[in-house]
Amino acid sequence: MLEIEQAEAQLSELDLLASMFPGENELILNDQLALAELKNCIEKRTMEGRSSKVYFTINMNLDISEEAMEMFSLACILPFKYPAILPEITVRSVLLSRSQQTQLNTDLTTYLQKRCLGDVCILNATDWVREHAADYVSRDTIPVPAPGSTVQPADVILTRLWIYSHHIYNKCKRKDILEWAKELSLSGFSMPGKPGVVCVEGPQSACEEFWSRLRKLNWKRILIRHREDIPLDGTNDEMERQRKFSAFEEKVFRVDGARANHMDFGQLYQFLNARRCGDVFQTLFGVEGQ
């Protein structure tokens, strides 16, 4: 299959998914620019200028038991050569422990390798998850609310969002980022400049609220480059142990840009390495850190 045919297959599958998951939050395109680049390349019949992989999330409410219907999310990234190679799919749910989530995703990948390699397969993946998700959920993790109870279950997932922006200059935005992180008890950092980077970590609901606020501001381009969801045992001690940052701060590294707005990537890489997350540098910028 030629590159242009691979691109056309990706766009056709996205159109099909949009019709299969029409609800407001059922299919979420995490990077609109990547879709625009895909359409532009197909129109011009060339893959030159394509820099971002198509990244989207499918949210499905599944009947896990007679008493419970729970959300399962499939975060999907389509490599440029998909469907010649498999997509990157990560299934998440608050009902899954870390080991259960790992096993589910491993088994899903094995299934896709055996049955779907070379063909578009996102719908196959959603069907497989619908059929098999309950097999990975322990009975004692399914929430059964008491009659008349209004108490919501506590966060049992630590989320870490790595957010990439074309630039972060505006002082009001920088102030909002700091204040929102403090308000929501999130740790991490923001790096202003061009490009700009924000990392927040903490309870899943707080991270999603932060992202909901941030994306509504006026940006040239902003997206979640990488997301980590770590199932916990439900205790605050475990949440704190899993954090890689002790607080939230703005980091301004030595400036080396001609217009004094580019950050020193070497210092950023060293900063990330010191916190055991240097591997995310390549995910953010597409090059290895030094």
Side-chain angles (χ1 to χ4, degrees), residues 177-286:
I177 289 170
L178 290 169
E179 289 183 349
W180 291 342
K182 181 179 179 180
E183 174 193 342
L184 297 167
S185 300
L186 299 174
S187 50
F189 73 97
S190 64
M191 185 188 78
K194 182 180 180 181
V197 173
V198 179
C199 173
V200 290
E201 61 178 5
Q204 184 179 65
S205 59
C207 287
E208 291 177 347
E209 172 63 21
F210 179 90
W211 172 239
S212 176
R213 297 181 190 182
L214 189 66
R215 66 188 300 187
K216 290 176 183 176
L217 301 180
N218 186 28
W219 301 95
K220 181 173 182 178
R221 183 191 185 195
I222 193 166
L223 66 146
I224 298 175
R225 278 281 198 215
H226 183 55
R227 173 173 179 152
E228 302 171 59
D229 287 302
I230 304 171
L232 306 175
D233 60 11
T235 66
N236 289 331
D237 288 345
E238 177 68 9
M239 176 79 69
E240 295 308 310
R241 280 196 296 270
Q242 290 293 339
R243 289 183 189 260
K244 294 189 176 181
F245 303 90
S246 58
F248 191 91
E249 59 183 329
E250 182 175 87
K251 299 294 295 183
V252 180
F253 300 104
R254 178 175 59 82
V255 176
D256 59 8
R259 293 193 302 147
N261 59 9
H262 289 70
M263 296 296 130
D264 186 305
F265 281 2
Q267 289 190 38
L268 172 61
Y269 178 66
Q270 295 303 321
F271 171 76
L272 295 176
N273 243 357
R275 287 150 184 82
R276 309 183 313 281
C277 46
D279 55 335
V280 82
F281 187 92
Q282 186 169 15
T283 303
L284 287 170
F285 304 110

Side-chain angles (χ1 to χ4, degrees), residues 1-280:
M1 184 180 288
L2 300 175
E3 284 186 340
I4 192 67
E5 294 174 330
Q6 292 167 346
E8 289 172 335
Q10 292 183 26
L11 186 58
S12 295
E13 184 173 37
L14 282 171
D15 289 339
L16 176 60
L17 291 171
S19 67
M20 298 293 292
F21 298 95
E24 181 179 357
N25 294 313
E26 287 186 311
L27 176 63
I28 300 173
L29 284 170
N30 300 84
D31 188 354
Q32 293 286 348
L33 180 61
L35 178 58
E37 288 180 352
L38 176 64
K39 291 180 177 178
N40 186 59
C41 288
I42 292 173
E43 181 180 346
K44 294 184 176 179
R45 312 302 293 177
T46 175
M47 292 298 103
E48 291 184 8
R50 192 177 180 193
S51 61
S52 303
K53 300 174 184 177
V54 173
Y55 173 29
F56 56 91
T57 302
I58 296 173
N59 295 312
M60 303 188 299
N61 284 311
L62 304 184
D63 291 313
I64 299 304
S65 71
E66 293 182 359
E67 299 86 8
M69 175 175 283
E70 290 294 332
M71 177 80 74
F72 279 71
S73 297
L74 286 76
C76 307
I77 299 175
L78 306 185
F80 292 156
K81 293 185 177 181
Y82 172 80
I85 60 178
L86 288 178
E88 303 168 29
I89 302 178
T90 303
V91 182
R92 303 182 178 98
S93 172
V94 296
L95 292 185
L96 297 171
S97 68
R98 192 183 316 175
S99 60
Q100 290 167 343
Q101 180 174 306
T102 298
Q103 189 61 56
L104 186 155
N105 283 293
T106 298
D107 292 348
L108 173 60
T109 300
T110 300
Y111 165 78
L112 295 177
Q113 286 174 335
K114 290 181 178 179
R115 301 292 183 88
C116 305
L117 189 59
D119 295 318
V120 293
C121 62
I122 303 300
L123 275 181
N124 297 73
T126 62
D127 289 342
W128 187 92
V129 172
R130 287 182 197 278
E131 183 176 349
H132 297 282
D135 299 338
Y136 296 84
V137 177
S138 300
R139 294 297 106 186
D140 56 2
T141 65
I142 299 176
V144 181
S149 173
T150 59
V151 178
Q152 297 297 315
D155 285 282
V156 293
I157 290 182
L158 179 137
T159 293
R160 187 176 296 113
L161 302 180
W162 296 91
I163 301 167
Y164 177 97
S165 173
H166 179 271
H167 64 265
I168 302 176
Y169 298 142
N170 186 281
K171 290 182 179 179
C172 291
K173 290 179 180 176
R174 290 164 65 177
K175 182 180 178 182
D176 285 340
I177 289 170
L178 290 169
E179 289 183 349
W180 291 342
K182 181 179 179 180
E183 174 193 342
L184 297 167
S185 300
L186 299 174
S187 50
F189 73 97
S190 64
M191 185 188 78
K194 182 180 180 181
V197 173
V198 179
C199 173
V200 290
E201 61 178 5
Q204 184 179 65
S205 59
C207 287
E208 291 177 347
E209 172 63 21
F210 179 90
W211 172 239
S212 176
R213 297 181 190 182
L214 189 66
R215 66 188 300 187
K216 290 176 183 176
L217 301 180
N218 186 28
W219 301 95
K220 181 173 182 178
R221 183 191 185 195
I222 193 166
L223 66 146
I224 298 175
R225 278 281 198 215
H226 183 55
R227 173 173 179 152
E228 302 171 59
D229 287 302
I230 304 171
L232 306 175
D233 60 11
T235 66
N236 289 331
D237 288 345
E238 177 68 9
M239 176 79 69
E240 295 308 310
R241 280 196 296 270
Q242 290 293 339
R243 289 183 189 260
K244 294 189 176 181
F245 303 90
S246 58
F248 191 91
E249 59 183 329
E250 182 175 87
K251 299 294 295 183
V252 180
F253 300 104
R254 178 175 59 82
V255 176
D256 59 8
R259 293 193 302 147
N261 59 9
H262 289 70
M263 296 296 130
D264 186 305
F265 281 2
Q267 289 190 38
L268 172 61
Y269 178 66
Q270 295 303 321
F271 171 76
L272 295 176
N273 243 357
R275 287 150 184 82
R276 309 183 313 281
C277 46
D279 55 335
V280 82

